[in-house]
Amino acid sequence: MNYKRSSALFAQAETVIPGGVNSPVRAFKAVGGTPIFVKEAKGAYLYDEDDNRLIDYINSWGPMILGHAYEPVVNAVVDKAKKGTSFGMPTEIETQIAQLAVSMVPNIDKIRFVNSGTEACMSAVRLARGFAGKDKIIKFAGCYHGHSDSFLIQAGSGAVTFGSPNSPGVTQGTAKDTLLARYNDIENVTQLIEANKNEISCVIIEPVAGNMGCIPPIEGFLQALRDLCDANNILLIFDEVMTGFRLAKGGVQELFNIKADIVCFGKVIGGGLPVGAFAARNEIMNHLAPLGPVYQAGTLSGNPLAMAAGLAMLNELNNDAEIFNRLAKKTAYLHEGIAKVLNANNVAHTINRVGSMISVHFDEAEVVDFETAAKGNNDTFKKFFHGLLDKGIYIAPSAFETWFITDALTYEDLDFTIEAIEIVAKTL
Ligand SMILES: Cc1ncc(COP(=O)(O)O)c(C=O)c1O
């Protein structure tokens, strides 16, 4: 395929935007080559600036669960835009989407809308700290909760007691309040809690991880985490920015029947516009300003365009009883097809899948946490990525990402993808 115009546009972008992109993973650093500039998209397909058609397995990193330029969402946004795009004053549609979200998700009474998943998680942690009156938090290595300071933490030398910054600009002072645990390892979480008795306000987790590839919680892990939190007076935050309104109407709480204290949303809830949200039962949410002392705000939060897109999207999902089954079936079909052709070509791999999230790791060992995810063969992934791109299939340009299946994908698209993988597998 020809990417001449994308290359030229990237060269221009690099002169005025750091690295040419507004979010680092878009720059193709992990796979090499030039990022692709999108001209437009419809349904399951992207059309780039060189007029190549690509089957899209990223879908804006999750939001486009029903496909690109989905008409009910686009129409809702266009209608609203004509009436003004932001007022910084209350509008009825904010209550409408809040009512719908609260009716779809278990264990929440109130929801506050923000502009990104980062903001949602950052605010959820502040609320948890304010509610619990304790400073420390536990996060899991390999889980991503956006780029606010408290989350840009890696295991420090004293990992049992505190983490260390993994980006310049994050202070040691901030890092000392974030403890790093191993995903799927309840013993490890127990040790951290023991070593920091009565100091931990919350545990935040991607209840199905998607930012080290897709990693499901092992049987019993989330329930054990719930019990541990209850026993130690710690709030459990489910970061459902990826999984919310994707794996089930009520997200992982519904899928695995585990109660979270605070839930974070992003991606699907905004229908492709910049939206995040966090939600909890009244007792916790009433701690937020203006009702309570925990401050949180936003000039563009709940703006009518974003709310119109989100409401149209949630309505579509709420009114389609089969949507999550249909997505899971398509994903299972893809899983089976990929496994078959990789096995036939002796490519060492592990495929993880939950609902419409799936990822291919190039290592035979089970992938259950960040350490095992990091063992994947990156050279193989790079070849795989570029091989597929060459055949008109766009997967995330990093081995640590989940593929997001959209309902717009047809079985012909899936067959085309599996056939392409069969050809690429012979080159790995
Ligand atoms: C689980 C999870 N939480 C939070 C975020 C941050 O969301 P945003 O990129 O909208 O700030 C992401 C983004 O990928 C995510 O996957």
Side-chain angles (χ1 to χ4, degrees), residues 317-374:
L317 298 174
N318 196 39
N319 294 332
D320 184 343
E322 272 309 300
I323 177 73
F324 298 107
N325 280 340
R326 206 159 59 236
L327 283 165
K329 267 191 203 155
K330 286 182 184 179
T331 315
Y333 182 86
L334 185 66
H335 181 163
E336 239 171 71
I338 298 176
K340 193 165 154 202
V341 298
L342 291 183
N343 281 331
N345 288 282
N346 297 317
V347 179
H349 71 280
T350 302
I351 299 175
N352 281 354
R353 165 175 62 88
V354 179
S356 57
M357 292 165 61
I358 179 169
S359 58
V360 183
H361 305 259
F362 289 104
D363 190 65
E364 252 155 11
E366 230 191 328
V367 177
V368 293
D369 56 15
F370 183 67
E371 219 168 279
T372 43

Side-chain angles (χ1 to χ4, degrees), residues 234-296:
I234 291 170
L235 295 174
L236 179 59
I237 304 179
F238 273 10
D239 175 356
E240 298 227 40
V241 166
M242 242 184 214
T243 54
F245 308 101
R246 169 166 286 280
L247 297 185
K249 265 191 210 178
V252 175
Q253 286 196 95
E254 175 188 325
L255 191 68
F256 294 141
N257 193 25
I258 308 283
K259 233 179 182 171
D261 295 305
I262 306 180
V263 193
C264 306
F265 298 105
K267 303 191 189 275
V268 174
I269 199 172
L273 267 76
V275 180
F278 58 106
R281 56 186 188 271
N282 281 324
E283 182 197 5
I284 297 173
M285 289 308 269
N286 291 348
H287 263 65
L288 268 187
L291 280 183
V294 177
Y295 192 68
Q296 188 280 326

Side-chain angles (χ1 to χ4, degrees), residues 122-386:
M122 176 186 81
S123 308
V125 163
R126 184 180 308 139
L127 177 58
R129 284 175 163 149
F131 180 81
K134 296 180 276 188
D135 289 346
K136 290 186 179 169
I137 68 171
I138 292 181
K139 83 172 279 286
F140 291 86
C143 282
Y144 179 67
H145 307 293
H147 62 91
S148 87
D149 287 4
S150 300
F151 301 126
L152 295 183
I153 306 296
Q154 61 196 351
S157 50
V160 173
T161 45
F162 56 85
S164 70
N166 75 353
S167 165
V170 176
T171 66
Q172 291 288 351
T174 298
K176 78 176 175 31
D177 286 330
T178 300
L179 312 174
L180 264 281
R182 241 187 328 272
Y183 201 79
N184 275 327
D185 185 345
I186 200 68
E187 279 310 307
N188 186 231
V189 186
T190 309
Q191 284 165 9
L192 283 173
I193 292 175
E194 283 302 311
N196 295 271
K197 264 283 186 233
N198 300 322
E199 290 186 89
I200 298 167
S201 57
C202 62
V203 172
I204 185 166
I205 186 166
E206 288 181 67
V208 169
N211 283 292
M212 37 188 169
C214 174
I215 301 186
I218 57 175
E219 179 89 38
F221 176 64
L222 292 179
Q223 185 59 54
L225 200 55
R226 174 72 272 174
D227 296 343
L228 198 54
C229 285
D230 287 342
N232 290 278
N233 212 9
I234 291 170
L235 295 174
L236 179 59
I237 304 179
F238 273 10
D239 175 356
E240 298 227 40
V241 166
M242 242 184 214
T243 54
F245 308 101
R246 169 166 286 280
L247 297 185
K249 265 191 210 178
V252 175
Q253 286 196 95
E254 175 188 325
L255 191 68
F256 294 141
N257 193 25
I258 308 283
K259 233 179 182 171
D261 295 305
I262 306 180
V263 193
C264 306
F265 298 105
K267 303 191 189 275
V268 174
I269 199 172
L273 267 76
V275 180
F278 58 106
R281 56 186 188 271
N282 281 324
E283 182 197 5
I284 297 173
M285 289 308 269
N286 291 348
H287 263 65
L288 268 187
L291 280 183
V294 177
Y295 192 68
Q296 188 280 326
T299 299
L300 291 171
S301 292
N303 80 82
L305 281 198
M307 296 297 93
L311 180 60
M313 175 65 93
L314 295 197
N315 265 324
E316 292 295 308
L317 298 174
N318 196 39
N319 294 332
D320 184 343
E322 272 309 300
I323 177 73
F324 298 107
N325 280 340
R326 206 159 59 236
L327 283 165
K329 267 191 203 155
K330 286 182 184 179
T331 315
Y333 182 86
L334 185 66
H335 181 163
E336 239 171 71
I338 298 176
K340 193 165 154 202
V341 298
L342 291 183
N343 281 331
N345 288 282
N346 297 317
V347 179
H349 71 280
T350 302
I351 299 175
N352 281 354
R353 165 175 62 88
V354 179
S356 57
M357 292 165 61
I358 179 169
S359 58
V360 183
H361 305 259
F362 289 104
D363 190 65
E364 252 155 11
E366 230 191 328
V367 177
V368 293
D369 56 15
F370 183 67
E371 219 168 279
T372 43
K375 282 191 184 139
N377 186 324
N378 208 38
D379 289 335
T380 307
F381 178 80
K382 282 187 207 171
K383 279 194 230 157
F384 184 70
F385 172 84
H386 284 291

Side-chain angles (χ1 to χ4, degrees), residues 76-89:
V77 171
V78 170
D79 286 351
K80 268 287 174 222
K82 289 178 184 158
K83 295 174 184 157
T85 54
S86 181
F87 314 117
M89 294 165 72

Side-chain angles (χ1 to χ4, degrees), residues 45-109:
Y45 311 123
L46 299 166
Y47 300 90
D48 72 14
E49 289 284 355
D50 292 280
D51 290 325
N52 301 305
R53 191 197 82 166
L54 301 166
I55 301 181
D56 187 8
Y57 284 98
I58 307 181
N59 288 291
S60 186
W61 305 89
M64 321 315 298
I65 191 167
L66 300 175
H68 290 283
Y70 187 72
E71 254 171 51
V73 174
V74 172
N75 292 342
V77 171
V78 170
D79 286 351
K80 268 287 174 222
K82 289 178 184 158
K83 295 174 184 157
T85 54
S86 181
F87 314 117
M89 294 165 72
T91 52
E92 185 181 5
I93 196 169
E94 293 164 79
T95 308
Q96 291 168 343
I97 184 172
Q99 284 170 334
L100 183 56
V102 165
S103 76
M104 292 171 79
V105 177
N107 311 316
I108 63 171
D109 298 317

